[in-house]
Amino acid sequence: NAGVMQNPRHLVRRRGQEARLRCSPMKGHSHVYWYRQLPEEGLKFMVYLQKENIIDESGMPKERFSAEFPKEGPSILRIQQVVRGDSAAYFCASSPPGQVGAKNIQYFGAGTRLSVL
Amino acid sequence: LAKTTQPISMDSYEGQEVNITCSHNNIATNDYITWYQQFPSQGPRFIIQGYKTKVTNEVASLFIPADRKSSTLSLPRVSLSDTAVYYCLVGDIIGNTPLVFGKGTRLSVIA
């Protein structure tokens, strides 16, 4: 059973360009979360999605950032007009629906490291 | 959400037992304690979870006193490959909710 797959692993963009980060959850998982991690910091929650629905986007910057999890295909985190401050590691996690025992355990991908020049 | 406090870093020699303590004075009745491990250039990985007393699995043990205001992650006989950042998380585990990470404890294992 493949784990959470993120691509690309590394992404370099110039200021003003768009960045698209992809996440394929574990098989059978219908919940996807995106987190951002700055150097020497813990992960910060950005957005929580289920298939075709955004459940919680309280951690998402109001401008330039968007996320989707279509019925078919991976979840996409899109950053428009990137700035240097967007440079970070972006992690995707997934969890199954209605976890038995309500453990709320999330399974993380290896992340995408975005560098904005 | 209960705030957690952990040491920023710890060093240990190979073969020693390592205990990382996390303080969570404001833990709520419904909150569980969960630990994740993060290796460099990788995403966090679930290690162990508990509510009270002691929990043990193949990776670690988790000790939680009766007042639940702190918890201790115990790693037996660490090796170089245990060098990682360890995060203590406290929160309600009902349903699927975003995780709240602090800065964690950076464990360095030395040969």
Side-chain angles (χ1 to χ4, degrees), chain A residues 9 31 33 35 37 40-43 45 48 56 91 95-96 98-99 101-106 108-110 113, chain B residues 32 34 36 38-46 49 87 92-104 106:
Chain A
R9 288 296 310 276
H31 302 259
Y33 313 78
Y35 296 82
Q37 185 174 35
E40 307 302 319
E41 298 284 329
L43 282 73
F45 166 72
Y48 164 32
D56 181 351
F91 290 96
S95 64
Q99 293 197 47
K103 289 184 177 294
N104 194 27
I105 296 170
Q106 296 181 14
F108 286 80
R113 276 145 191 86
Chain B
Y32 276 66
T34 310
Y36 281 77
Q38 185 179 24
F39 295 116
S41 301
Q42 293 189 27
R45 181 177 76 113
F46 169 83
Q49 184 180 75
Y87 296 98
D92 193 334
I93 63 168
I94 300 299
N96 296 281
T97 55
L99 301 177
V100 179
F101 288 84
K103 293 189 176 183
R106 185 173 299 276

